[in-house]
Amino acid sequence: MVFSFTTIADYHRQLQQGQITCEAAVLHYLQSIRQQPQLNAMVHLFADEALQTARQLDQRLAAGDPLLPLHGVVVTLKDVFCYAGHPVSAASRMLNGFNALFSATAVQRLLDAGAIIIGTTNCDEFAMGSTNETSAYGPVLNAADHSRVPGGSSGGSAVAVQAGLCMCSLGSDTGGSVRQPADFCGIVGLKPGYGRISRHGLIAYASSFDCVGIFGLTVTDVARVYNVIAGPDGFDSTALQMPAPEVEIPVATKQPPWRFAWLEPTLSGSIDPEIRAALQGCFEQLAAAGHTVEAVPFPLLDYIVPAYYVLTTAEASSNLSRYDGIRYGHASEGSPADLTAFYQRNRSEGFGREVKRRIMLGTFVLSAGYYDAYFTKAQQVRKRIIDETARIFRDFDAILMPVSPGTAPKLGEQLADPVAMYLADIYTVFANLAGIPAMAVPLFRHSNGLPFGLQVLTNRGNEVPLHRISAYLEAMRPG
Ligand code: GLN
């Protein structure tokens, strides 16, 4: 059976008509993974298990059972999700050899809906980074151009979807780690609103920012996965208590005129001129189609990257204090002088440079003498961003902005200058500071041959219109 994947709907039609089996689909992806090891997108492969699950799903269908919502959908998981009995390491030496004791809620919901987990994907260590170069497993290559990074931190997941190693993938988005790699790889990336998908079983980076996100080739495929995994969860008290309204499938694109805002400073400054021109062209097209598109001043933009890096490093320094190498994780060999020396050795050897830098930064901004100057200030900035964003959504349905100021950089280009790398997160960290949902929609191709798109952001709780607007934009994509 020859298999080529377009959408979950088409795959399900093929399954029902007997043109394909789940087993054949898994074999197809296993072959595809084995043929592209140079991408370095995968960390662990669960080949036998995936084939076994596929056969069980095929038997169900043969016995006349209805298709499950994600029947036979082949997915990968960023290496930050706990999946009981399977390795999870956050791409860090610190967790080398560690096996999850339980499954994350999102993972369990995927399994219950008939998805097949084929393996885990590479990422930046502890999800800290924007290029997928801080991984203990080495960098991931962008399948569109092997000299380029895929973006980060969920670079492996993005490339897995981009290069046809799976149908969909779960990532995590603390400050753009799903949307930015989706943008660099030319696929769809969703970060739902904070608390919409349970964080239970997701390795924590910065808990008040962390969101489970979804990669897919189309908005409708992402919506299908979203409908399955979103919603309240007794294991996560920060998960929203009210049920997540279902996104209609396929996502409707015909809608009354929308009111779009774009934030003035997002199209000035050091943005690639082709990205600016593409977005301006898109705004004109939307206005010509009868939608309102208005520029809105947003003087707070300059503060969002500093506020993000103060708050997330502070939370990270606290979250990562649990890795001491005593009960699990990397334990240094040899005989340390005392317990403190043992901790120091375990952590010095276990963590990579970027993680250490953030733990130190976070510890500094929380220290007694600097707490008010940095942490409290950044909290105040966050509050103002939240208030200002809510004000914008009184008059508008969505905000449109770039995902990144440039297309995928060359490997190694940003590693030497962490501040430049942090600054490039300017358009994505906004949604995490405000806690609102956002989607990266691939629309354009740069003259350098690389894909890029735009970002749609809606108000808290508005994932349904977010999907509709994104699907509408997706349908505008030339070709
Ligand atoms: N690049 C951002 C950071 O390094 C975002 C990471 C993320 O979303 N996990 O913090």
Side-chain angles (χ1 to χ4, degrees):
M1 284 178 201
V2 200
F3 178 63
S4 83
F5 177 74
T6 51
T7 61
I8 296 174
D10 181 57
Y11 170 51
H12 278 179
R13 189 190 48 73
Q14 291 187 47
L15 281 176
Q16 273 170 324
Q17 294 178 354
Q19 293 163 349
I20 186 76
T21 61
C22 298
E23 186 180 359
V26 170
L27 285 169
H28 161 86
Y29 285 108
L30 288 174
Q31 192 186 13
S32 188
I33 290 168
R34 289 184 178 129
Q35 279 169 347
Q36 304 180 77
Q38 70 284 3
L39 296 175
N40 200 24
M42 304 294 297
V43 173
H44 288 287
L45 202 53
F46 311 138
D48 293 340
E49 210 183 316
L51 282 168
Q52 204 184 329
T53 312
R55 285 185 209 115
Q56 284 162 2
L57 288 160
D58 287 334
Q59 279 160 14
R60 280 183 63 117
L61 197 59
D65 288 347
L67 281 179
L68 293 161
L70 296 179
H71 200 102
V73 173
V74 179
V75 299
T76 55
L77 306 175
K78 180 179 182 178
D79 186 28
V80 289
F81 287 96
C82 292
Y83 176 19
H86 297 76
V88 57
S89 73
S92 180
R93 268 169 62 83
M94 193 46 137
L95 283 173
N96 191 17
F98 179 73
N99 277 345
L101 302 172
F102 61 92
S103 290
T105 299
V107 170
Q108 193 57 51
R109 288 183 184 171
L110 285 181
L111 294 168
D112 294 345
I116 301 171
I117 298 172
I118 200 167
T120 56
T121 55
N122 203 346
C123 58
D124 279 302
E125 185 178 3
F126 282 98
M128 296 174 186
S130 309
T131 60
N132 210 140
E133 293 172 293
T134 73
S135 166
Y137 305 108
V140 177
L141 310 187
N142 191 318
D145 176 347
H146 289 189
S147 68
R148 307 269 178 171
V149 304
S153 63
S154 320
S157 284
V159 171
V161 173
Q162 175 197 31
L165 313 184
C166 61
M167 299 175 186
C168 299
S169 187
L170 287 195
S172 64
D173 190 312
T174 304
S177 278
V178 167
R179 289 160 288 149
Q180 186 253 31
D183 191 60
F184 286 1
C185 294
I187 60 171
V188 177
L190 165 71
K191 180 203 92 71
Y194 182 77
R196 198 49 114 182
I197 299 176
S198 167
R199 291 184 296 116
H200 175 65
L202 167 69
I203 292 182
Y205 161 12
S207 308
S208 78
F209 292 76
D210 293 345
C211 291
V212 173
I214 303 163
F215 293 96
L217 289 177
T218 60
V219 174
T220 295
D221 277 2
V222 166
R224 280 180 198 275
V225 176
Y226 170 80
N227 282 343
V228 164
I229 65 177
D233 179 25
F235 289 122
D236 176 3
S237 58
T238 62
L240 298 177
Q241 298 294 311
M242 61 270 206
E246 284 237 337
V247 181
E248 69 284 65
I249 305 286
V251 182
T253 56
K254 260 210 157 58
Q255 298 296 330
W258 280 300
R259 296 161 305 163
F260 294 115
W262 62 275
L263 310 184
E264 256 166 2
T266 56
L267 289 192
S268 52
S270 53
I271 180 172
D272 182 303
E274 280 189 43
I275 297 184
R276 182 192 299 125
L279 263 78
Q280 280 165 343
C282 176
F283 297 166
E284 281 163 22
Q285 227 181 311
L286 287 170
H291 305 287
T292 308
V293 187
E294 263 178 48
V296 171
F298 196 76
L300 286 170
L301 197 74
D302 282 347
Y303 299 96
I304 66 176
V305 170
Y308 169 83
Y309 276 97
V310 168
L311 295 173
T312 53
T313 55
E315 292 187 25
S317 75
S318 164
N319 272 327
L320 272 64
S321 65
R322 75 190 67 181
Y323 303 104
D324 56 14
I326 301 289
R327 282 156 302 160
Y328 59 89
H330 175 77
S332 177
E333 284 169 13
S335 37
D338 55 27
L339 187 61
T340 307
F342 187 50
Y343 289 154
Q344 274 171 353
R345 275 227 220 150
N346 296 346
R347 289 167 66 82
S348 304
E349 293 170 11
F351 291 134
R353 276 172 67 89
E354 184 61 28
V355 173
K356 285 180 193 159
R357 176 167 24 236
R358 298 201 190 194
I359 292 174
M360 287 189 278
L361 269 173
T363 309
F364 172 73
V365 299
L366 288 174
S367 60
Y370 296 96
Y371 189 95
D372 280 342
Y374 292 103
F375 189 72
T376 307
K377 247 311 161 249
Q379 291 279 41
Q380 288 166 344
V381 171
R382 187 176 200 182
K383 176 75 175 70
R384 286 200 53 189
I385 289 168
I386 292 170
D387 293 346
E388 189 59 21
T389 307
R391 208 186 51 71
I392 295 172
F393 284 123
R394 271 191 243 134
D395 300 323
F396 295 94
D397 300 307
I399 299 173
L400 302 178
M401 66 166 98
V403 185
S404 173
T407 51
K410 294 258 186 211
L411 283 153
E413 211 170 72
Q414 285 197 338
L415 262 190
D417 188 352
V419 175
M421 186 180 83
Y422 298 166
L423 286 173
D425 289 338
I426 183 152
Y427 304 125
T428 48
V429 298
F430 170 64
N432 303 74
L433 279 161
I436 57 174
M439 183 106 72
V441 188
L443 287 180
F444 312 108
R445 192 157 293 278
H446 196 275
S447 59
N448 64 13
L450 294 168
F452 67 97
L454 66 69
Q455 190 182 186
V456 185
L457 306 96
T458 54
N459 203 359
R460 278 181 191 229
N462 284 355
E463 278 85 357
V464 173
L466 176 73
H467 281 83
R468 284 186 190 148
I469 294 168
S470 302
Y472 176 80
L473 290 166
E474 182 183 50
M476 277 170 41
R477 178 166 47 189

